[in-house]
């Protein structure tokens, strides 16, 4: 059995590591190649786009892929849509592994919006020092907010020609510990956090700190993923895989 894991998430990396331990199953993880020094998953991997639906379908055929697990980030919709069409064209069973979104709990002060553009518009009048954690590719959306100071946490430095809001770039990669997030947020006198509702534990600590300190969070809700079989954690994905291996 050969499984293609569409990756770029911690769940995908964990799944690849677990699959590597299963006799008779070979996993290839695919990474988009967005980060300069990606975390290399266990087992085989490849890096870079496939070239749309046709490219992915060709890859599935050429590599004789038996199963496809789409474990991409909840905000990566294009690749998930491509996976639907390519898997159906080639007749490869497909599963989506999408972790649970964070739920607002008592003490949270969230402003929920549907897009990153809406997050920029929703930044409340009193927001002066914003912790922006939506990723490098989205920084330009905040560029015209000249009266706000941004602490922008991203994995890789932006290109020199990137249009960005005023503030400070912090290059770092999760998971982030609670004490680390508390220190950063207090040190930079942050009053508002902008986050995608990524779910999972790796980047949740900032949301806990916001609750502790009573800070506002502009939370970007997830876009819709395409239809199809879905599970929410690695255990369930493994169960699906093992079940398919028996068939
Ligand atoms: P996207 O908009 O859904 O995909 C854009 C294009 O990037 C796809 O059409 C595909 O190119 C290529 N691509 C995306 N994921 C790929 C993968 N795993 N393997 C090979 N090619 C891939 O994706 P995105 O939002 O830019 O995210 C890119 C990657 O970063 C994803 O793998 C995702 O898991 C990870 N990520 C995204 C976010 C986020 O907030 N969007 C956050 C953390 C991690 P072709 O059409 O040429 O095949």
């Amino acid at each position: 059995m050969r499984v293609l894991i569409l990756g770029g998430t911690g769940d995908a990396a964990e799944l690849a590591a677990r699959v590597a331990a299963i006799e008779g199953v070979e996993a290839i993880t695919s990474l988009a190649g967005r980060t300069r020094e990606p975390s290399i998953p266990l087992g085989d991997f490849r890096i870079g786009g496939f070239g749309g639906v046709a490219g992915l379908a060709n890859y599935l055929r050429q590599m004789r892929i038996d199963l496809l697990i789409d474990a991409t980030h909840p905000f990566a919709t294009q690749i998930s849509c491509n996976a639907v069409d390519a898997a159906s064209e080639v007749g490869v069973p497909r599963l989506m592994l999408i972790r649970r979104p964070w739920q607002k709990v008592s003490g949270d002060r969230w402003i929920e919006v549907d897009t990153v553009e809406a997050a920029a518009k929703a930044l409340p009048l009193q927001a002066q020092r914003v912790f922006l954690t939506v990723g490098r590719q989205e920084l330009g959306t905040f560029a015209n907010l000249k009266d706000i100071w941004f602490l922008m946490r991203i994995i890789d430095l932006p290109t020199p020609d990137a249009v960005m809001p005023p503030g400070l770039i912090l290059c770092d990669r999760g998971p982030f510990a609670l004490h680390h997030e508390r220190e950063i947020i207090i040190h930079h006198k942050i009053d508002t956090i902008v986050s995608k509702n990524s779910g999972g534990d790796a980047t949740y600590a900032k949301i806990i700190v916001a609750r502790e300190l009573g800070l506002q969070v502009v939370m970007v809700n997830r876009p819709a993923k395409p239809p199809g079989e879905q599970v929410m954690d690695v255990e369930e994905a493994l169960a699906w895989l093992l079940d398919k291996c028996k068939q």
Side-chain angles (χ1 to χ4, degrees), residues 7-8 30-32 34 48-52 72-73 76-79 82 196:
S30 175
L31 302 172
R34 295 282 189 277
F50 295 96
T72 55
H73 192 269
T77 47
Q78 184 62 58
I79 186 69
N82 292 356
K196 290 178 174 172

Side-chain angles (χ1 to χ4, degrees), residues 52-54 56-57 60-61 68 78-92 94 226-227:
V53 175
L56 179 52
L60 295 174
R61 278 193 204 96
L68 173 61
Q78 184 62 58
I79 186 69
S80 295
C81 291
N82 292 356
V84 174
D85 293 342
S88 113
E89 186 183 318
V90 183
V92 170
R94 173 186 61 93

